[in-house]
Amino acid sequence: QDKLEAAYKALRKTGDQKNSFANYTTTEEITIKKPIQKDTKDTLCTTHMRDGIICHENCQLEFNFESGSNNFISCSCMGQDGKCKVCGCGPSSHYHDNTEMVTETKTIEKVLEDIKAQYDMADKTHKKISNYAHQFQETFANLQDQANANYDRIFQLCTDLSKICSRFNFVNELHANIENMRMDARNIQSIDLRKNAESDIRKLETFINGLSNRKNK
């Protein structure tokens, strides 16, 4: 029973540890860029498109999504020197694009790995001790059943003995045994288990006193 009580204490402790690490996730806002399709097309430069530079918005030239040609020499972004008035590059570095990058704020859930590791360890320990506690509980229940059966056997034997030995003094003969049982009960750490043991001892003592009283009448 002491092992069972110790297992329950450990179970409560590991349960508290597990709960203390349960919040191992946090939310974080991030900014992302994603392309969206437009109804119009823009003239971009392969060299400067990453900088977000648009050389000519809503270009009216025939759609051309590839660079490397002189098709854009007639684009309104080109100057008289044949260079783009916006980025300074030649026509061959330009192309059409009908998408644009938009900025979007997104909330994501982030796992705090160090806290998660401690939670997993506490959870593993908690489950292990829970299994031990269950095994101890089953063992104790079996022992309690055996103890109850032994008490019933003692009651029956005392009853039979009282019929056979009319002068047998149960109180005197079993006094030392009952005192030893009381001493053992006082050493039980669990309050509930100690109360159960003391209750069983009182029942036995009451029963024995009853037998002796009947003999004395």
Side-chain angles (χ1 to χ4, degrees):
Q1 56 266 31
D2 291 343
K3 288 184 178 180
L4 179 61
E5 183 67 17
Y8 280 138
K9 288 182 179 179
L11 195 62
R12 288 191 293 270
K13 182 178 179 180
T14 55
D16 291 340
Q17 290 176 340
K18 176 182 172 182
N19 292 335
S20 68
F21 298 125
N23 295 324
Y24 54 79
T25 60
T26 185
T27 57
E28 180 180 341
E29 284 194 351
I30 61 172
T31 300
I32 60 174
K33 289 186 176 182
K34 67 176 185 178
I36 61 170
Q37 192 165 357
K38 306 192 304 179
D39 294 331
T40 59
K41 59 183 180 294
D42 298 328
T43 301
L44 304 180
C45 174
T46 55
T47 304
H48 298 91
M49 52 86 61
R50 295 184 183 277
D51 299 326
I53 296 176
I54 299 176
C55 298
H56 181 209
E57 292 186 6
N58 195 17
C59 182
Q60 298 302 310
L61 293 179
E62 184 179 353
F63 187 83
N64 186 356
F65 64 90
E66 292 183 346
S67 61
S69 68
N70 288 324
N71 292 344
F72 289 91
I73 196 169
S74 57
C75 180
S76 61
C77 68
M78 295 297 165
Q80 293 181 354
D81 59 354
K83 302 291 185 180
C84 179
K85 293 180 289 186
V86 178
C87 69
C89 296
S92 61
S93 65
H94 288 74
Y95 68 99
H96 279 144
D97 190 8
N98 62 345
T99 62
E100 67 175 335
M101 301 300 293
V102 295
T103 301
E104 182 180 272
T105 300
K106 188 176 182 181
T107 301
I108 62 172
E109 187 176 79
K110 186 178 180 181
V111 176
L112 304 174
E113 295 298 340
D114 54 338
I115 305 298
K116 178 67 163 56
Q118 294 182 75
Y119 173 84
D120 290 341
M121 183 178 296
D123 182 56
K124 182 178 180 180
T125 304
H126 184 73
K127 289 178 179 177
K128 183 177 181 180
I129 294 178
S130 178
N131 185 49
Y132 286 156
H134 180 70
Q135 293 176 0
F136 288 146
Q137 180 63 51
E138 286 186 342
T139 301
F140 178 75
N142 292 333
L143 291 174
Q144 187 64 52
D145 290 341
Q146 294 177 17
N148 292 337
N150 289 335
Y151 275 116
D152 292 340
R153 180 62 175 163
I154 291 172
F155 292 154
Q156 184 60 48
L157 290 175
C158 288
T159 301
D160 295 342
L161 187 59
S162 67
K163 296 176 181 178
I164 299 172
C165 304
S166 58
R167 295 184 179 181
F168 187 83
N169 191 314
F170 290 94
V171 174
N172 292 338
E173 296 295 336
L174 299 179
H175 174 75
N177 299 83
I178 292 177
E179 285 303 315
N180 287 335
M181 292 170 67
R182 283 200 179 98
M183 291 178 61
D184 291 338
R186 283 194 288 268
N187 291 327
I188 299 176
Q189 295 182 3
S190 170
I191 296 176
D192 291 336
L193 296 177
R194 185 166 62 248
K195 287 182 178 179
N196 290 339
E198 291 172 346
S199 176
D200 289 336
I201 294 171
R202 285 194 298 270
K203 290 178 183 178
L204 178 60
E205 189 173 26
T206 300
F207 175 75
I208 291 173
N209 288 335
L211 288 177
S212 296
N213 291 335
R214 285 202 297 271
K215 287 295 181 182
N216 294 330
K217 290 182 180 179

